[in-house]
Amino acid sequence: MRSPVGEGRERLLEALFDEFGENGPGANLSMRQVAERLGVHHTLLTYHFGSRPGLLRAVLSEARRRDNLVIAAAGDELGFEALCRTIWSFYSDPAHEDRIRAFFHLVGLAVYEQDVFHEFVADIDDLARILEAAALRDGITPTQAERQSIIATSCLRGLLLQRLLTPTAEIDAAAEHFITSLGHFTGEGRPS
């Protein structure tokens, strides 16, 4: 067993990333098994994260925070449609499939336990805010930018879920069709 990581939540979170990557521990590992792999006592994980879903919530929230920094940096100069395409490309990458599955698992739990997952749900809006800023750069009114970002975020997540459920479907083509249609709302698709 490795030497203890330390008792700080942030250090444990970093150790989780080091050991399991951005997807977090697999669904088949118990808290005790996760603790063993980290070289800490399982009660330390329980103290800092509460439960297995709490641990997964912390890992995915941190991964999403990191993702949003990458997406925001890539999208600083992109218009709304191009940024949607970048987001789709990023999250539809097969390397992110396990994390996408974990995300939808937690979203399902949040529907039933909103008080437990309040922070996780609040953080979900970060992507919509990044898209809203892109829509504002395109010259859309603030009200329309907010609405368009909600629609785009919801549709892209729905397409990601559909991709998990029916991986043989033409989801990438559907996503491209949807993203291209956004140009009609933002002005990007209009002839000059």
Side-chain angles (χ1 to χ4, degrees):
M1 228 192 264
R2 282 187 246 154
S3 60
V5 174
E7 294 187 7
R9 186 177 195 273
E10 294 306 312
R11 288 187 70 188
L12 280 171
L13 195 53
E14 201 57 46
L16 284 161
F17 271 84
D18 290 346
E19 182 66 27
F20 299 104
E22 62 186 17
N23 298 328
N28 58 338
L29 294 176
S30 69
M31 288 284 271
R32 285 180 190 272
Q33 291 169 318
V34 170
E36 255 179 54
R37 297 244 322 245
L38 295 179
V40 299
H41 197 273
H42 73 278
T43 57
L44 190 60
L45 292 179
T46 304
Y47 174 78
H48 285 289
F49 303 110
S51 62
R52 178 125 176 52
L55 183 140
L56 190 55
R57 177 181 64 227
V59 170
L60 290 181
S61 291
E62 177 59 19
R64 190 172 56 230
R65 185 190 69 75
R66 293 176 184 189
D67 292 348
N68 286 344
L69 290 174
V70 170
I71 289 168
D76 271 347
E77 297 178 16
L78 294 178
F80 188 80
E81 184 181 336
L83 183 56
C84 284
R85 194 169 281 109
T86 298
I87 290 167
W88 175 258
S89 178
F90 183 85
Y91 284 114
S92 65
D93 183 329
H96 292 124
E97 188 172 306
D98 286 340
R99 185 156 35 117
I100 299 302
R101 286 181 192 284
F103 171 79
F104 284 115
H105 173 73
L106 286 181
V107 167
L109 292 174
V111 168
Y112 292 101
E113 300 179 64
Q114 290 180 1
D115 54 327
V116 174
F117 292 93
H118 173 72
E119 190 177 309
F120 178 76
V121 171
D123 289 344
I124 288 176
D125 290 338
D126 287 349
L127 193 58
R129 284 188 282 278
I130 293 169
L131 282 166
E132 186 175 342
L136 290 169
R137 282 193 303 274
D138 284 350
I140 296 178
T141 67
T143 300
Q144 283 300 99
E146 180 182 17
R147 289 177 185 161
Q148 197 63 18
S149 68
I150 291 169
I151 291 167
T153 305
S154 301
C155 289
L156 291 172
R157 286 188 181 128
L159 287 163
L160 284 170
L161 179 59
Q162 188 65 36
R163 194 169 201 247
L164 290 174
L165 297 172
T166 56
T168 59
E170 292 294 322
I171 303 302
D172 287 322
E176 181 56 32
H177 180 77
F178 167 69
I179 292 167
T180 301
S181 75
L182 293 172
H184 299 292
F185 297 103
T186 63
E188 289 182 40
R190 294 185 186 147
S192 33

